[in-house]
Amino acid sequence: MAELSDAAFAAMTTHMNDDHPDAVAAYAQHYAQCNPAIGARIVTMDATGLTLSVDMGAQTRDVRIDFARTVTDTDDARAMLISMWQTSAPQPLPERTQGAGVREGRG
């Protein structure tokens, strides 16, 4: 459990933008109603939320998304981002079962 600081927020921002751009775009679509969000980047992050720059094709829009509550440390911030992803992620397709009528490799 590490204390929140400007450096910690900068590291989390870089990590999310570099490693989880799909989650950031899902945040823009779900929480800020930016549809379609072609892409999004976190511009700033603090204990109360995120500011995103959202690419909507013909325009770029900056939006603020407040967290459900103030985060208290880096573990709490990570848990908040994961919870937001779980809420905003597109629903996965149901798993196919063997013999469900889908044939592969036939043309």
Side-chain angles (χ1 to χ4, degrees):
M1 173 167 38
E3 186 176 318
L4 290 174
S5 64
D6 289 343
F9 284 122
M12 285 185 279
T13 296
T14 298
H15 169 72
M16 291 300 296
N17 287 334
D18 291 350
D19 298 336
H20 304 291
D22 52 343
V24 179
Y27 297 159
Q29 290 180 348
H30 181 81
Y31 293 101
Q33 312 302 302
C34 292
N35 292 306
I38 296 169
R41 293 188 63 74
I42 299 172
V43 178
T44 61
M45 183 186 314
D46 58 47
T48 62
L50 314 164
T51 299
L52 307 180
S53 177
V54 184
D55 178 358
M56 297 181 68
Q59 67 175 331
T60 300
R61 184 173 155 202
D62 288 348
V63 296
R64 175 73 181 180
I65 299 171
D66 293 327
F67 293 146
R69 59 177 170 65
T70 301
V71 295
T72 57
D73 57 44
T74 56
D75 289 342
D76 194 27
R78 180 179 184 276
M80 179 66 70
L81 293 171
I82 291 169
S83 174
M84 289 173 66
W85 165 243
Q86 290 170 337
T87 300
S88 64
Q91 296 301 309
L93 295 173
E95 289 187 36
R96 292 190 295 192
T97 58
Q98 189 173 10
V102 176
R103 294 185 183 168
E104 296 182 24
R106 296 198 174 209

